[in-house]
């Protein structure tokens, strides 16, 4: 650590060595919780007094204690629609891009690679283009939160626009990584309709502007900044958040992943995911050592004060459902659709959720009627009539 050398004069060498070694072990991966920790977590209370459990959160919503819900979503909520996520071994998008001859899987979303080899992304875009997929029960649950007037915002990493297929109002959605519903020329910046871009893509061609430059759907690629709407509304919304639902994301892409650290300290955070994500790790620093650092800081040692700041930052970032000092985080392991279904049941909203799912299904079927297979015998008789 940068403080090690200057602290040699105020603290013992051995103590400094121990401190720096232990601080270096702080990572983003959390140790698995013991049976005792899990049992203790299940009996804890949230900062607002309700049980720190999915049932407790549901009760708080029904009692009107929670009114500003923010939902963060990732690719995991669209898997049941048939859209692969990015990182699942074997089935994830990054594991199935060999056909594009990429230097690395992530290159397909690199702005520099796109400018040199647009065909790869255009081929993938044709597969992912909106209209082919139906919103999932998880999307429908987010719509239900809006209908119940407790949804503050849905911040999504997804580019599939299934939020709108579920009927969620655009004002309630922040597409952190953009989407297919708008497009611009990379040269002259002219806006192009998504319909015109789709038409070209589905002819297996690369969309180009009249000026000759490439047209790209307004998806945020690596090397591009996030939309201004993301920064504006995240700054406005998160201080008001009294419940954060995190659904189907590995929380590995920043700055989106950092949003979990922005709600107030009393805000409960619930992760619905197949695996733990965004978890904190407890700095393994001896309590006696902490007291010695605190004493040195009180005596005016600026380096000791800086180390305390580092320790507090480490302990305040990430989800803490795996740690003994957890006071506000819940992890619901499993598929998102199953998780929100259970949550809706606890809320007494199952029928409401089913109604939205049925509405979405009906609308999708009208847009995408099943193709009728022609009867070969009918075809032959028609040909005979024409001959």
């Amino acid at each position: 650590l940068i403080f090690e050398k200057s602290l040699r004069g105020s603290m013992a060498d051995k103590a400094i060595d121990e401190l720096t070694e232990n601080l270096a072990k702080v990572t983003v991966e959390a140790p698995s919780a013991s049976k005792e920790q899990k049992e203790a977590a299940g009996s804890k209370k949230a900062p607002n007094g309700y049980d720190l459990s999915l049932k407790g959160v549901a009760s708080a919503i029904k009692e009107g204690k929670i009114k500003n819900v923010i939902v963060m979503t990732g690719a995991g909520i669209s898997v049941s629609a048939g859209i692969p996520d990015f990182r699942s071994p074997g089935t994830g998008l990054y594991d199935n891009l060999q056909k594009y001859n990429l230097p690395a899987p992530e290159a397909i979303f690199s702005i520099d690679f796109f400018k040199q080899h647009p065909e790869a992304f255009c081929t993938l875009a044709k597969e992912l283009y909106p209209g082919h997929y139906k919103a999932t029960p998880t999307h429908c649950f987010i719509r239900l939160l809006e209908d119940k007037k407790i949804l503050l915002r849905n911040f999504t990493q997804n580019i599939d626009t299934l939020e709108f297929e579920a009927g969620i109002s655009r004002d309630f959605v922040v597409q952190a990584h953009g989407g297919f519903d708008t497009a611009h020329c990379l040269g002259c910046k002219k806006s192009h309709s998504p319909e015109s871009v789709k038409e070209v893509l589905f002819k297996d061609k690369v969309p180009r502007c009249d000026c000759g430059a490439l047209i790209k759907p307004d998806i945020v690629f690596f090397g591009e900044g996030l939309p201004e709407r993301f920064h504006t509304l995240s700054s406005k919304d998160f201080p008001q958040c009294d419940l954060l639902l995190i659904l189907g994301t590995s929380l590995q892409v920043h700055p989106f992943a950092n949003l979990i650290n922005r709600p107030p300290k009393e805000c409960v955070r619930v992760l619905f995911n197949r695996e733990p994500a965004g978890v904190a790790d407890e700095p393994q620093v001896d309590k006696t050592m902490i007291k010695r650092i605190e004493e040195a800081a009180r005596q005016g040692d600026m380096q000791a004060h800086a180390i305390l700041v580092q320790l507090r930052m480490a302990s305040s970032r990430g989800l803490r459902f795996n740690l003994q000092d957890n006071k506000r985080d819940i992890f619901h392991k499993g598929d998102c659709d199953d998780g929100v279904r259970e949550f809706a049941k606890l809320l007494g909203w199952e029928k409401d959720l089913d109604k939205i799912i049925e509405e979405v299904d009906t609308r999708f079927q009208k847009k995408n009627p099943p193709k009728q297979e022609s009867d070969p015998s009918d075809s032959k008789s028609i040909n005979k009539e024409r001959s």
Side-chain angles (χ1 to χ4, degrees):
L1 290 175
I2 61 174
F3 311 113
E4 178 177 355
K5 185 175 180 181
S6 54
L7 270 173
R8 292 282 183 186
S10 60
M11 303 176 72
D13 285 359
K14 182 178 179 181
I16 287 292
D17 290 339
E18 179 184 345
L19 176 63
T20 55
E21 179 183 352
N22 286 326
L23 282 177
K25 294 177 181 177
V26 178
T27 67
V28 296
E29 295 298 330
S32 58
S34 65
K35 180 180 179 181
E36 292 75 16
Q37 286 175 317
K38 291 178 181 177
E39 290 175 350
S43 62
K44 287 183 177 179
K45 295 286 184 180
N48 290 331
Y50 51 86
D51 288 341
L52 190 59
S53 64
L54 210 56
K55 183 178 181 180
V57 173
S59 296
I61 291 175
K62 289 190 286 187
E63 293 169 11
K65 295 179 180 178
I66 292 175
K67 299 178 180 179
N68 293 299
V69 181
I70 290 180
V71 183
M72 292 173 59
T73 51
I77 73 166
S78 296
V79 171
S80 64
I83 302 174
D85 64 10
F86 288 90
R87 292 179 172 82
S88 291
T91 60
L93 187 63
Y94 284 160
D95 267 7
N96 291 277
L97 293 175
Q98 297 87 350
K99 58 185 175 182
Y100 300 117
N101 297 316
L102 304 174
E106 294 82 358
I108 203 157
F109 291 113
S110 164
I111 189 63
D112 292 331
F113 187 82
F114 175 73
K115 290 176 179 178
Q116 296 295 322
H117 306 281
E119 298 83 4
F121 172 76
C122 289
T123 303
L124 176 65
K126 183 179 175 181
E127 296 181 22
L128 296 179
Y129 218 87
H132 296 290
Y133 303 99
K134 182 174 65 176
T136 69
T138 300
H139 292 99
C140 294
F141 179 78
I142 301 170
R143 152 79 183 281
L144 181 56
L145 293 175
E146 180 188 347
D147 289 353
K148 297 293 184 180
K149 302 188 184 307
I150 60 172
L151 178 66
L152 179 56
R153 208 79 63 187
N154 175 197
F155 288 81
T156 182
Q157 297 176 93
N158 298 340
I159 60 175
D160 52 40
T161 67
L162 290 183
E163 299 82 15
F164 308 128
E165 295 294 329
I168 303 171
S169 302
R170 288 184 177 272
D171 286 348
F172 285 94
V173 179
V174 174
Q175 295 172 288
H177 297 161
F180 284 99
D181 49 345
T182 57
H184 286 82
C185 170
L186 293 182
C188 68
K189 310 302 180 186
K190 179 182 177 181
S191 176
H192 291 264
S193 72
E195 291 79 17
S196 65
V197 174
K198 180 180 180 180
E199 183 179 355
V200 176
L201 286 174
F202 277 70
K203 290 179 180 178
D204 295 322
K205 296 181 179 180
V206 175
R208 289 188 179 273
C209 182
D210 295 336
C211 72
L214 292 166
I215 298 171
K216 182 178 77 66
D218 291 337
I219 295 166
V220 178
F221 280 20
F222 295 115
E224 294 184 305
L226 269 60
E228 186 60 34
R229 177 176 165 83
F230 169 83
H231 299 292
T232 300
L233 290 181
S234 60
S235 297
K236 175 186 175 183
D237 293 343
F238 276 85
Q240 306 175 55
C241 178
D242 51 19
L243 174 64
L244 178 63
L245 302 180
I246 308 158
L247 298 158
T249 171
S250 62
L251 293 172
Q252 292 186 29
V253 179
H254 298 268
F256 185 89
N258 292 332
L259 294 178
I260 64 171
N261 300 307
R262 298 183 66 174
K265 291 184 178 180
E266 63 272 13
C267 173
V268 169
R269 305 177 296 186
V270 186
L271 173 67
F272 294 84
N273 211 38
R274 291 178 177 177
E275 301 295 337
V279 289
D281 196 5
E282 194 167 25
Q284 302 298 310
V285 183
D286 185 77
K287 290 183 179 180
T288 302
M289 176 64 66
I290 294 290
K291 290 181 179 179
R292 293 173 66 183
I293 300 171
E294 290 174 339
E295 180 60 31
R298 280 194 293 269
Q299 293 177 5
D301 190 316
M302 296 305 296
Q303 271 66 41
H305 176 74
I307 286 180
L308 279 181
V309 171
Q310 294 286 327
L311 287 171
R312 287 166 183 164
M313 286 179 62
S315 64
S316 66
R317 303 188 71 80
L319 303 174
R320 305 184 67 80
F321 49 76
N322 59 301
L323 301 176
Q324 288 184 325
D325 67 354
N326 176 39
K327 297 178 181 178
R328 62 170 179 156
D329 295 333
I330 300 168
F331 174 43
H332 190 282
K333 183 179 176 66
D335 290 338
C336 291
D337 290 346
D338 295 337
V340 299
R341 169 68 67 180
E342 180 179 340
F343 198 17
K345 185 176 182 180
L346 291 169
L347 286 160
W349 294 353
E350 271 192 299
K351 290 183 178 179
D352 296 326
L353 179 58
D354 287 336
K355 184 177 179 181
I356 294 175
I357 293 173
E358 183 179 353
E359 172 197 319
V360 167
D361 185 64
T362 300
R363 186 165 59 244
F364 181 80
Q365 295 300 332
K366 286 182 178 179
K367 286 183 179 180
N368 301 271
K371 295 181 180 180
Q372 295 183 349
E373 294 184 6
S374 58
D375 188 336
S377 61
D378 291 341
S379 177
K380 290 179 181 178
S381 63
I382 292 173
N383 290 333
K384 286 180 181 179
E385 289 174 6
R386 289 181 177 176
S387 60

